[in-house]
């Protein structure tokens, strides 16, 4: 009997669009994504003093293992320049469809943009902008890119039938405030179908807490203005180098917004004849963007509805909008050029052979991995925050136990109790968001994933975090309240 040889998977190539360098081939591992090296999003902070980011030397924490130096993949072509970060930054990763590659290779194209002109130039090249089986876009502190993409994906359309309120959430860089204080919030946006574009889409947005070592919250020791200081949530204590309690961290509220779009094939009119095409409203003039239904000077003018719809990006897409308090891309939830972005630049590398062979399967599996990475990053941010809070609560316990009858500690205790209630509300919002998004994603597409469930491990992970908030923050502080008033 002849020896059976399992067909090999397509090679994965990654290249830099801007420099048009020769694509670099990444050898596919023999294992599947389930046996590959796990994403190290949960830093080993236990036993190490957490003291914030290393400015200019990476985005990891002191005491945390670094993987970027030896991670498999393609190095970043352009060197980091501090001046480049000032106006924001966009990373765009395309997982190119097989029909646009040679010899069955699975091609991944990544490019960074630092201004609107570069992003518009990319979309002007229709031969490249229409090739992706999946597109992942990471927007960091770039309001110009947010405005452009909200129009490019028709998120801001005035008609509720094809528009979505997600645009109102994403365009605000900072959380809502009430009486000068930040209000923690989160929201999911139901799955929406647009048959005239041939897409389904959904989205979510959450506020989260980000701690900065004292003196770093201004972005390189810059002075905070009144508007920036208004999103400050709390101050946390830690131990200094001499094990003396000291004011060590400022905690701010930052915002994350994620848009997910799934292509469903060629556009078509809905079956119900009573549903009118919202793109053909009376008085629409596509030749003048100031008079049409889409007053969008960024995308120019169009002679008719068809050309307008074709100019939109109707492919499979995940867009992650982020804004950091310092306006530095290494301080967002997913740091610039960090391990997760490196992973996204070679994501097809982790898929089993059968998933990489088919465009629809590739798009769905990679989309699930990207969204899982986003939620894992959010969970990791909770781990780091709770670690610091644990030290803060420990210091408070030492103060109370030293003299339980001393009521001068009461205001500090009440302040902490109030803060933990807000933190408890936030993790409740995050847990509900994860579970709701799991349902929305199943409604978006439930026919392609190998394991049949989107972001399957995330609900349990956030349930654990919610329990930790109760056990490590809320209950210990309640016990201190009881101790003080019983003494």
């Amino acid at each position: 009997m002849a020896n059976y040889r399992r067909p090999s998977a397509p090679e994965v190539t990654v290249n830099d669009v801007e420099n048009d360098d020769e694509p670099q081939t990444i050898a596919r591992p023999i294992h599947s994504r389930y046996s590959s090296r796990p994403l190290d999003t949960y830093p080993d902070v236990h036993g190490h003093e957490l003291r914030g980011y290393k400015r200019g030397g990476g985005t990891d924490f002191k005491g945390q293992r670094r993987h970027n130096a030896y991670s498999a993949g393609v190095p970043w072509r352009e060197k980091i320049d501090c001046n480049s970060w000032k106006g924001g930054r966009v990373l765009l990763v395309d997982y190119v469809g097989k029909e646009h590659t040679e010899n069955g290779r699975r091609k991944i194209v990544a490019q960074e943009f630092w201004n609107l002109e570069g992003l518009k130039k990319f979309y002007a090249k229709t031969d490249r902008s229409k090739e992706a089986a999946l597109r992942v876009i990471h927007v960091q502190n770039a309001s110009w890119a947010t405005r452009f993409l909200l129009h490019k994906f028709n998120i801001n359309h005035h008609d509720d039938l094809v528009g979505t309120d997600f645009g109102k959430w994403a365009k605000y860089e900072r959380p809502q405030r009430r009486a000068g204080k930040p209000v923690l919030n989160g929201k999911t946006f139901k799955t929406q179908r647009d048959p005239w574009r041939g897409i389904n889409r959904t989205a979510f947005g959450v506020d989260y807490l980000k701690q900065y070592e004292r003196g770093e919250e201004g972005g390189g020791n810059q002075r905070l203005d009144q508007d920036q200081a208004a999103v400050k949530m709390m101050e946390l204590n830690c131990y200094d180098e001499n094990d003396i309690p000291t004011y060590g961290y400022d905690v701010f509220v930052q915002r994350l917004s994620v848009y997910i779009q799934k292509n469903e094939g060629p556009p078509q009119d809905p079956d119900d004849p009573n549903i009118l095409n919202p793109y053909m409203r009376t008085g629409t003039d596509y030749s003048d963007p100031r008079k049409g239904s889409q007053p969008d000077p960024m995308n120019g003018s169009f002679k008719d509805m068809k050309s307008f719809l074709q100019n939109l990006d109707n492919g499979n897409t995940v867009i992650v909008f982020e804004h950091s308090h310092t306006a530095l891309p290494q301080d967002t939830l997913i740091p610039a050029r960090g391990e997760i972005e490196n992973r996204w630049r070679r994501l097809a590398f982790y898929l089993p052979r059968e998933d990489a062979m088919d465009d629809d399967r590739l798009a769905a599996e990679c989309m699930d991995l990207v969204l899982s990475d986003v939620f894992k990053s959010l969970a990791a941010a909770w781990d780091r925050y709770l670690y610091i809070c644990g030290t803060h609560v420990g210091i408070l316990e030492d103060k109370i136990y030293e003299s339980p009858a001393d009521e001068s500690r009461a205001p500090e205790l009440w302040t902490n109790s109030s803060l933990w209630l807000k933190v408890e509300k936030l993790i409740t919002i995050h847990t509900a968001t994860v579970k709701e998004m799991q349902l929305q994603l199943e409604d978006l597409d439930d026919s392609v994933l190998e394991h049949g469930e989107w972001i399957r491990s995330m609900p349990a992970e956030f349930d654990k975090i919610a329990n930790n908030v109760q056990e490590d923050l809320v209950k210990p502080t309640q016990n201190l309240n009881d101790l003080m008033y019983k003494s």
Side-chain angles (χ1 to χ4, degrees):
M1 182 177 179
N3 293 331
Y4 172 74
R5 184 176 182 181
R6 186 176 183 179
S8 60
E11 293 178 320
V12 179
T13 63
V14 183
N15 71 323
D16 188 317
V17 175
E18 186 175 14
N19 297 329
D20 289 326
D21 293 330
E22 185 69 20
Q24 300 188 30
T25 301
I26 303 176
R28 179 176 298 281
I30 59 174
H31 48 66
S32 71
R33 69 172 183 168
Y34 304 112
S35 61
S36 62
R37 181 175 65 83
L39 179 65
D40 186 14
T41 54
Y42 299 93
D44 181 19
V45 297
H46 304 290
H48 297 91
E49 180 61 24
L50 192 63
R51 296 296 300 175
Y53 287 113
K54 297 178 181 178
R55 296 290 174 185
T59 59
D60 60 336
F61 286 88
K62 295 179 181 179
Q64 178 182 339
R65 293 175 299 164
R66 299 193 62 166
H67 295 284
N68 293 350
Y70 60 83
S71 293
V74 178
W76 297 92
R77 299 294 181 185
E78 186 176 352
K79 293 183 179 180
I80 295 179
D81 181 1
C82 294
N83 293 324
S84 300
W85 304 122
K86 290 183 178 179
R89 173 253 195 188
V90 176
L91 172 68
L92 188 148
V93 183
D94 277 350
Y95 305 86
V96 180
K98 287 190 64 177
E99 62 182 73
H100 301 289
T101 61
E102 298 179 358
N103 303 323
R105 285 185 171 185
R106 178 58 69 188
K107 185 179 179 182
I108 303 174
V109 178
Q111 186 173 1
E112 292 177 298
F113 301 95
W114 310 98
N115 52 60
L116 178 60
E117 289 71 24
L119 191 56
K120 291 175 68 174
K121 183 179 179 181
F122 167 80
Y123 270 105
K125 299 178 180 178
T126 55
D127 56 332
R128 284 180 173 173
S129 63
K130 303 292 184 181
E131 293 179 350
L134 172 66
R135 174 164 295 152
V136 177
I137 306 175
H138 188 201
V139 181
Q140 296 176 290
N141 303 308
S143 299
W144 49 268
T146 300
R147 292 191 298 269
F148 175 82
L149 293 171
L150 290 180
H151 287 294
K152 197 67 180 178
F153 288 84
N154 200 36
I155 297 171
N156 272 344
H157 197 283
H158 64 85
D159 195 303
D160 292 340
L161 189 61
V162 293
T164 171
D165 288 338
F166 173 74
K168 298 178 182 178
W169 172 280
K171 71 179 182 180
Y172 290 110
E173 302 178 1
R174 293 173 182 164
Q176 180 184 358
R177 285 176 292 178
R178 185 181 300 134
K181 300 292 183 181
V183 178
L184 303 175
N185 208 343
K187 188 175 182 180
T188 59
F189 299 83
K190 65 180 181 179
T191 301
Q192 182 186 52
R193 290 171 171 80
D194 187 342
W196 298 279
R197 293 176 59 200
I199 64 160
N200 297 340
R201 61 184 178 181
T202 185
F204 73 91
V206 292
D207 296 327
Y208 68 96
L209 300 177
K210 169 73 175 180
Q211 66 279 347
Y212 292 91
E213 192 172 354
R214 184 183 180 186
E216 291 185 342
E217 69 275 6
N221 292 326
Q222 297 173 3
R223 190 168 190 171
L224 295 178
D225 59 32
Q226 185 176 1
D227 190 42
Q228 287 178 313
V231 295
K232 182 176 177 178
M233 189 70 185
M234 64 186 73
E235 299 173 354
L236 296 175
N237 296 326
C238 68
Y239 291 102
D240 63 14
E241 296 178 353
N242 298 317
D243 289 335
I244 298 174
T246 184
Y247 163 32
Y249 295 94
D250 291 312
V251 179
F252 292 85
V253 184
Q254 298 187 170
R255 175 157 289 192
L256 168 72
S257 308
V258 180
Y259 173 83
I260 306 107
Q261 178 174 288
K262 184 74 170 60
N263 182 271
E264 292 296 310
Q268 57 184 1
D269 292 329
D271 296 331
D272 190 346
N274 295 321
I275 299 179
L276 301 179
N277 188 335
Y279 298 107
M280 296 184 65
R281 299 300 188 194
T282 303
T284 299
D285 182 5
Y286 287 100
S287 64
D288 187 347
R290 294 170 297 179
K291 299 178 182 179
S293 63
Q294 290 290 292
D296 179 15
M298 291 185 179
N299 287 333
S301 60
F302 308 97
K303 61 181 180 180
D304 54 28
M305 180 197 69
K306 183 178 180 180
S307 60
F308 167 74
L309 294 179
Q310 289 177 345
N311 182 71
L312 300 175
D313 192 330
N314 301 316
N316 299 313
T317 308
V318 177
I319 310 178
V320 181
F321 297 96
E322 292 202 73
H323 297 278
S324 64
H325 176 71
T326 60
L328 297 175
Q330 62 263 40
D331 288 333
T332 54
L333 186 67
I334 300 173
R337 300 190 176 186
E339 182 174 359
I340 292 180
E341 283 197 348
N342 281 325
R343 171 180 160 90
W344 289 352
R345 295 173 72 215
R346 58 182 189 274
L347 202 55
F349 174 83
Y350 296 108
L351 295 180
R353 289 180 172 86
E354 57 272 17
D355 290 348
M357 299 291 287
D358 178 75
D359 281 352
D360 289 338
R361 189 74 167 268
L362 170 80
E365 295 289 346
C366 286
M367 190 177 290
D368 181 52
L369 291 175
V370 169
L371 294 174
S372 295
D373 287 346
V374 172
F375 283 117
K376 285 179 181 178
S377 298
L378 192 59
W382 273 108
D383 284 349
R384 294 189 288 267
Y385 170 73
L386 291 177
Y387 173 77
I388 296 174
C389 287
T391 303
H392 177 86
V393 171
I395 293 173
L396 184 60
E397 287 177 331
D398 292 341
K399 294 177 182 178
I400 302 299
Y401 289 143
E402 183 179 351
S403 180
D406 184 6
E407 293 188 1
S408 64
R409 301 291 185 185
E412 183 179 3
L413 199 55
W414 296 336
T415 299
N416 279 267
S417 297
S418 175
L419 290 173
W420 302 150
L421 289 177
K422 295 178 182 179
V423 172
E424 185 180 19
K425 177 184 176 182
L426 182 62
I427 187 57
T428 301
I429 291 173
H430 286 188
T431 303
T433 298
V434 171
K435 294 178 179 179
E436 289 174 16
M437 280 309 302
Q438 196 171 44
L439 297 176
Q440 297 293 348
L441 290 168
E442 289 174 0
D443 190 24
L444 185 79
D445 185 1
D446 62 353
S447 61
V448 184
L449 286 183
E450 178 182 357
H451 47 78
E453 188 176 15
W454 290 85
I455 54 175
R456 56 177 176 172
S457 64
M458 291 298 100
E461 186 65 41
F462 278 82
D463 284 337
K464 293 178 183 177
I465 296 173
N467 182 68
N468 290 339
V469 169
Q470 277 289 325
E471 298 297 327
D472 298 342
L473 304 182
V474 177
K475 289 184 179 180
T477 307
Q478 288 176 348
N479 293 336
L480 292 177
N481 269 310
D482 294 340
L483 176 64
M484 176 174 289
Y485 287 104
K486 289 179 181 179
S487 301

